[in-house]
Amino acid sequence: DQQVKQNSPSLSVQEGRISILNCDYTNSMFDYFLWYKKYPAEGPTFLISISSIKDKNEDGRFTVFLNKSAKHLSLHIVPSQPGDSAVYFCAARAAGGTSYGKLTFGQGTILTVHP
Amino acid sequence: EAGVTQFPSHSVIEKGQTVTLRCDPISGHDNLYWYRRVMGKEIKFLLHFVKESKQDESGMPNNRFLAERTGGTYSTLKVQPAELEDSGVYFCASSQAWTGSEAFFGQGTRLTVV
């Protein structure tokens, strides 16, 4: 049973426009959410995160929104740049448990930004 | 400062053979994680070390997988004997803090079992 889902395998946007990547989760114990970015032949790189006590976190061109009641989060990139083209993974961390650092990832969304 | 490094970057082995993957975490990072991504699907947690102790190995698929972290420095992940379904990209990550938010990932080892 997949607890973190990214239902869009791919997204294509024009340079300068907004990119919106979505993520849904099912586990109510998740209390911290992260977005990672991955280029081919590289490992995932941390991008931005949000605690469950917040509904928005912004870092430059990147903003993450969290809707706890809907168990949904989204990553907004404005303006999108060709260098943003990569695979974006949504990840979540559960409170408690034996391994608080354990992350549960979604399947990833391939973002392509066209010049 | 060197990042997380993994060896080898690629490995192609035959079914039934043994393969050992190595991860060198960032110096000073007590927490070390192994993850795996199979066939373009989600990245799945395998296990978590705190120093040399296994904190959580709930994600290990079966007893053909053995992870060690002797001395609390580098870690190895051995697959013996390898099966076709073990193919995928194995990622190692390390963090200084107890949380995954500060985890830095290596470039991964792509394992192909034929």
Side-chain angles (χ1 to χ4, degrees), chain A residues 24-38:
Chain A
D24 296 292
Y25 63 96
T26 58
N27 190 342
S28 300
M29 294 300 291
F30 288 147
D31 70 341
Y32 200 84
F33 303 89
L34 309 91
W35 285 93
Y36 279 83
K37 174 180 176 180
K38 184 186 175 307

Side-chain angles (χ1 to χ4, degrees), chain A residues 25-67:
Chain A
Y25 63 96
T26 58
N27 190 342
S28 300
M29 294 300 291
F30 288 147
D31 70 341
Y32 200 84
F33 303 89
L34 309 91
W35 285 93
Y36 279 83
K37 174 180 176 180
K38 184 186 175 307
Y39 292 118
E42 294 184 9
T45 302
F46 171 71
L47 192 57
I48 192 170
S49 62
I50 187 167
S51 166
S52 59
I53 62 174
K54 297 185 176 181
D55 55 17
K56 177 183 175 181
N57 187 27
E58 190 172 353
D59 183 2
R61 297 186 297 114
F62 303 91
T63 303
V64 56
F65 295 92
L66 175 63
N67 183 333

Side-chain angles (χ1 to χ4, degrees), chain A:
Chain A
D1 178 37
Q2 198 168 346
Q3 300 182 50
V4 177
K5 293 183 181 180
Q6 295 175 255
N7 292 314
S8 298
S10 63
L11 175 67
S12 181
V13 299
Q14 205 69 30
E15 180 179 6
R17 305 294 290 269
I18 184 171
S19 295
I20 300 176
L21 297 102
N22 295 301
C23 178
D24 296 292
Y25 63 96
T26 58
N27 190 342
S28 300
M29 294 300 291
F30 288 147
D31 70 341
Y32 200 84
F33 303 89
L34 309 91
W35 285 93
Y36 279 83
K37 174 180 176 180
K38 184 186 175 307
Y39 292 118
E42 294 184 9
T45 302
F46 171 71
L47 192 57
I48 192 170
S49 62
I50 187 167
S51 166
S52 59
I53 62 174
K54 297 185 176 181
D55 55 17
K56 177 183 175 181
N57 187 27
E58 190 172 353
D59 183 2
R61 297 186 297 114
F62 303 91
T63 303
V64 56
F65 295 92
L66 175 63
N67 183 333
K68 282 184 65 179
S69 60
K71 292 189 173 67
H72 176 84
L73 64 155
S74 60
L75 173 68
H76 293 212
I77 307 174
V78 183
S80 301
Q81 299 173 354
D84 295 330
S85 297
V87 181
Y88 287 78
F89 289 95
C90 172
R93 191 185 68 199
T98 56
S99 179
Y100 192 46
K102 170 184 174 181
L103 296 176
T104 302
F105 285 86
Q107 315 94 299
T109 297
I110 301 170
L111 173 65
T112 304
V113 181
H114 299 283

